[in-house]
């Protein structure tokens, strides 16, 4: 084999390797800083970059929540900036840095995507806002990442709210407690008449 042919083969392999690596994650790994821990019945606010960051995890907002297997949850993100096109993904477990994620709609390095949401609520502006109801597969810590999908151009960070209503199990338990307390009070007061 001629030296020139070996050089061409080497350049071809190196070019293919660089191309493949470039498609894994174009941004450098950044340590994940969680915005906070979500609780049922809470609405939190956040801001994401105006860049199309669905495949740039360094631009995502990360949150965590504790969940119980079998409980039904509903998450809704609403834009507070009209230019934002929000989307989110939810994974069971957590990661240390953003290099572990390649897409808002795919598995991370160590955890599987549980559910993602985009455009379920018709909203003026680019496309819609995300909402999803799902059943938790495991008990433990979950990660929620909110991102800008295809937002209008803006130099300002784009605001959103993330709402976590009471889970169905908490609602049923709460309703049962209220009903039980009401029946107890009715019996007590009926004895006085």
């Amino acid at each position: 084999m001629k030296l020139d042919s070996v050089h061409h083969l080497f350049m071809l392999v190196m070019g293919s390797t660089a191309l493949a690596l470039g498609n894994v994650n174009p941004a450098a790994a950044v340590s994940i800083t969680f915005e906070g821990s979500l609780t049922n019945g809470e609405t939190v606010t956040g801001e994401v970059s105006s860049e199309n960051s669905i495949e740039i995890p360094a631009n995502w907002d990360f949150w965590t929540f504790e969940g119980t297997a079998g409980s039904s949850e509903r998450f809704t993100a609403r834009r507070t900036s009209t230019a934002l096109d929000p989307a989110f993904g939810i994974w069971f477990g957590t990661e240390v840095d953003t290099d572990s994620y390649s897409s808002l709609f795919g598995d991370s390095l160590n955890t599987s995507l549980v559910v993602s949401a985009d455009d379920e609520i018709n909203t003026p502006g680019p496309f819609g806002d995300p909402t999803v109801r799902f059943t938790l597969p495991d008990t433990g810590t979950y990660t929620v990442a909110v991102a800008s999908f295809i937002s209008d151009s803006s130099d300002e960070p784009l605001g959103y709210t993330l709402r976590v209503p009471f889970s169905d199990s908490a609602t049923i338990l709460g309703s049962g407690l209220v009903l039980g307390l009401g029946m107890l009070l009715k019996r007590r007061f009926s004895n006085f008449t």
Side-chain angles (χ1 to χ4, degrees), residues 35-114:
E35 302 295 319
S37 183
L38 304 169
T39 58
N40 279 334
E42 180 179 38
T43 299
V44 297
T45 61
E47 292 179 334
V48 292
S49 167
S50 60
E51 292 181 31
N52 177 349
S53 63
I54 195 163
E55 293 184 356
I56 306 175
N59 291 344
W60 299 352
D61 268 6
F62 289 92
W63 301 85
T64 62
F65 72 94
E66 297 299 319
T68 303
S71 67
S72 177
E73 299 286 345
R74 182 174 181 159
F75 283 73
T76 302
R78 299 302 299 251
R79 69 191 76 202
T80 58
S81 301
T82 54
L84 178 63
D85 178 23
F88 63 81
I90 300 176
W91 295 262
F92 178 68
T94 60
E95 297 285 1
V96 176
D97 62 50
T98 58
D99 200 36
S100 299
Y101 296 93
S102 60
S103 170
L104 194 66
F105 301 119
D107 293 342
S108 70
L109 185 64
N110 300 303
T111 64
S112 295
L113 181 72
V114 175

Side-chain angles (χ1 to χ4, degrees), residues 16 65 108 110 143 150 154 163 179 193:
S16 297
F65 72 94
S108 70
N110 300 303
T143 297
I150 302 176
S154 172
R163 170 96 174 126
L179 181 61
T193 56

